[in-house]
Amino acid sequence: AWTLIGNITADPGLQGYNAVILPDDRIVIVGGRYSNGGSSYWYSDMVRVFDPRTGTTSTLGSYGRYLKDVSVTLLPDGRLLLAGGYGVPPNVTYCNSCEIPYKWAGIFDPMTRAWTTLPDMNQISWLNHAVPLPDGRVLMLGSGALEVLDPLVKTFTLLGTPALELTSWTLR
């Protein structure tokens, strides 16, 4: 049987967000958008953390981009990689049919709440997945390209473009 332990987001109707489980079992939630009930949306730039032990959600901060479908990946050192996604133009929080895809990427440290902005990815990518590799690099598999991020030198290397557009798939 299911037991309700709390609301994972503070925004009812939030959609297009992504989440990752931290080693201490808390859940980090990033991005998303929510509707006014019509065809207009407000976008989130918040990083939130849900604690299933207490059933509470708190805000860790903003990553400065209003995005949905941004990928979030736990890196081996405990930091989070955020990359790609759809969003609204800079300095816009509300839009009606104005979404644009982003090449943006950044690393967030949930312990210090500090951001490191990375150079843009080589290709626009949304609904992407990132896979930490044993050597510390991260393989980015997305709708627009296959790239490898080296977080130590903060560079993306383009490996190629998929023959098919990968927009809705799961990595197992």
Side-chain angles (χ1 to χ4, degrees):
W2 288 91
T3 302
L4 180 65
I5 58 174
N7 291 323
I8 199 163
T9 71
D11 302 317
L14 188 67
Q15 57 182 275
Y17 61 89
N18 275 315
V20 66
I21 300 173
L22 296 175
D24 65 1
D25 293 330
R26 291 180 303 151
I27 302 167
V28 172
I29 304 115
V30 298
R33 70 179 186 182
Y34 49 102
S35 171
N36 66 354
S39 61
S40 299
Y41 297 94
W42 284 265
Y43 289 75
S44 174
D45 66 343
M46 290 289 117
V47 177
R48 296 178 179 92
V49 63
F50 175 72
D51 188 333
R53 291 178 296 276
T54 64
T56 59
T57 301
S58 58
T59 300
L60 292 179
S62 165
Y63 54 92
R65 299 279 196 275
Y66 294 93
L67 298 173
K68 72 176 188 84
D69 300 328
V70 60
S71 72
V72 57
T73 305
L74 182 64
L75 298 174
D77 64 5
R79 296 180 303 158
L80 304 173
L81 169 65
L82 279 70
Y86 269 106
V88 292
N91 302 316
V92 174
T93 60
Y94 165 86
C95 91
N96 185 3
S97 303
C98 66
E99 290 181 347
I100 56 175
Y102 274 91
K103 297 192 283 185
W104 175 84
I107 294 178
F108 179 69
D109 186 330
M111 298 304 290
T112 65
R113 299 182 181 194
W115 280 101
T116 302
T117 300
L118 298 172
D120 284 348
M121 294 182 287
N122 292 291
Q123 297 287 327
I124 291 171
S125 192
W126 62 95
L127 295 172
N128 55 33
H129 293 274
V131 181
L133 300 172
D135 65 2
R137 296 179 306 152
V138 181
L139 177 63
M140 305 293 297
L141 302 113
S143 54
L146 303 173
E147 302 191 41
V148 172
L149 165 67
D150 186 332
L152 295 179
V153 295
K154 299 178 185 169
T155 59
F156 284 94
T157 302
L158 183 63
L159 299 179
T161 304
L164 300 173
E165 185 175 300
L166 305 173
T167 58
S168 183
W169 52 283
T170 301
L171 191 62
R172 297 184 190 260

